Amino acid sequence: MGSIEQIDQLETYIIDLGNEIESVKKASDYLKLIEQFQEKIVKTSDSLSQSKEQLKLYQEIMESKLELFQTTSKNIEAKHQSLEQLQFKILTSLDELKQQQEKNEKGIISSFLEMNKVANQNQTALVGELKRIDDVQQSQFTSISKANKMFFAINTVLSVSIVGILVYLIAK
């Protein structure tokens, strides 16, 4: 058998070996936690990429709706100008007709009132249609704006959470 010093030295080696094993176990646990965190980051990154794609899609939809609105507005504006030109031509024709037929004053007054009524009805219908289109576009813009704000808030919360977790892990 060995001496007490050898046994004490052997006991010290065994304690040191136990401490080393415990350190290796802790390092292994930390590695597992890091791997789990990396998986969560990959999932979060995928989610953020999907949100980014959805935002791009919403932006494309908004741009196409804006183009449609602008095209519709231009068409309505052109129709409005055409109606104004038509109204101007009608008024000009009425003046010429009035000069030519002063003897038949009642007929001319009646025709003038009827044409003016038609022009006002067309103008009123056009203004009503413009207001309706504006209301529809405003409601669509408001709903898309709300959706964009919500996605921005979600992305911000996710980003802050990830940064917080990273800082927490780095601090440990």
Side-chain angles (χ1 to χ4, degrees), residues 85-158:
Q85 289 174 355
L86 179 63
Q87 187 177 8
F88 179 76
K89 287 178 183 179
I90 289 172
L91 291 174
T92 304
S93 295
L94 284 174
D95 284 340
E96 290 174 2
L97 210 81
K98 187 176 180 181
Q99 291 174 0
Q100 292 175 1
Q101 298 181 0
E102 286 181 4
K103 294 179 184 177
N104 197 0
E105 197 171 25
K106 286 183 180 179
I108 291 176
I109 290 173
S110 173
S111 297
F112 178 79
L113 291 174
E114 188 63 32
M115 288 184 182
N116 201 15
K117 180 181 174 184
V118 168
N120 285 337
Q121 286 175 347
N122 287 341
Q123 190 172 9
T124 303
L126 181 63
V127 169
E129 185 64 21
L130 281 173
K131 285 181 181 177
R132 185 191 68 78
I133 289 172
D134 185 51
D135 291 344
V136 167
Q137 292 295 324
Q138 286 296 332
S139 67
Q140 288 175 349
F141 180 74
T142 302
S143 64
I144 291 174
S145 177
K146 286 179 184 177
N148 283 343
K149 287 178 183 177
M150 182 179 69
F151 280 114
F152 179 75
I154 289 171
N155 286 337
T156 303
V157 168
L158 288 174

Side-chain angles (χ1 to χ4, degrees), residues 4-172:
I4 291 182
E5 287 176 11
Q6 290 176 340
I7 292 174
D8 285 340
Q9 189 176 15
L10 186 59
E11 187 177 338
T12 303
Y13 290 144
I14 290 172
I15 290 172
D16 288 344
L17 182 62
N19 290 339
E20 289 296 320
I21 290 173
E22 196 173 315
S23 296
V24 168
K25 283 183 182 180
K26 284 182 183 178
S28 175
D29 290 342
Y30 284 136
L31 283 175
K32 286 179 185 177
L33 287 173
I34 289 171
E35 287 173 356
Q36 290 172 356
F37 181 69
Q38 285 176 336
E39 288 176 15
K40 287 181 182 179
I41 287 176
V42 167
K43 288 178 184 177
T44 303
S45 176
D46 291 343
S47 175
L48 288 173
S49 294
Q50 185 179 7
S51 294
K52 179 182 172 185
E53 293 301 318
Q54 287 175 342
L55 286 174
K56 282 182 182 178
L57 179 63
Y58 287 136
Q59 183 179 4
E60 289 173 5
I61 290 171
M62 279 298 293
E63 287 173 355
S64 67
K65 286 184 179 183
L66 181 60
E67 284 180 30
L68 176 64
F69 175 72
Q70 289 172 342
T71 302
T72 305
S73 294
K74 287 179 183 177
N75 289 342
I76 289 173
E77 199 173 301
K79 287 179 183 178
H80 183 53
Q81 288 177 352
S82 174
L83 284 174
E84 285 179 350
Q85 289 174 355
L86 179 63
Q87 187 177 8
F88 179 76
K89 287 178 183 179
I90 289 172
L91 291 174
T92 304
S93 295
L94 284 174
D95 284 340
E96 290 174 2
L97 210 81
K98 187 176 180 181
Q99 291 174 0
Q100 292 175 1
Q101 298 181 0
E102 286 181 4
K103 294 179 184 177
N104 197 0
E105 197 171 25
K106 286 183 180 179
I108 291 176
I109 290 173
S110 173
S111 297
F112 178 79
L113 291 174
E114 188 63 32
M115 288 184 182
N116 201 15
K117 180 181 174 184
V118 168
N120 285 337
Q121 286 175 347
N122 287 341
Q123 190 172 9
T124 303
L126 181 63
V127 169
E129 185 64 21
L130 281 173
K131 285 181 181 177
R132 185 191 68 78
I133 289 172
D134 185 51
D135 291 344
V136 167
Q137 292 295 324
Q138 286 296 332
S139 67
Q140 288 175 349
F141 180 74
T142 302
S143 64
I144 291 174
S145 177
K146 286 179 184 177
N148 283 343
K149 287 178 183 177
M150 182 179 69
F151 280 114
F152 179 75
I154 289 171
N155 286 337
T156 303
V157 168
L158 288 174
S159 298
V160 169
S161 298
I162 290 172
V163 170
I165 290 171
L166 285 172
V167 169
Y168 174 76
L169 287 176
I170 291 173
K172 277 198 161 202

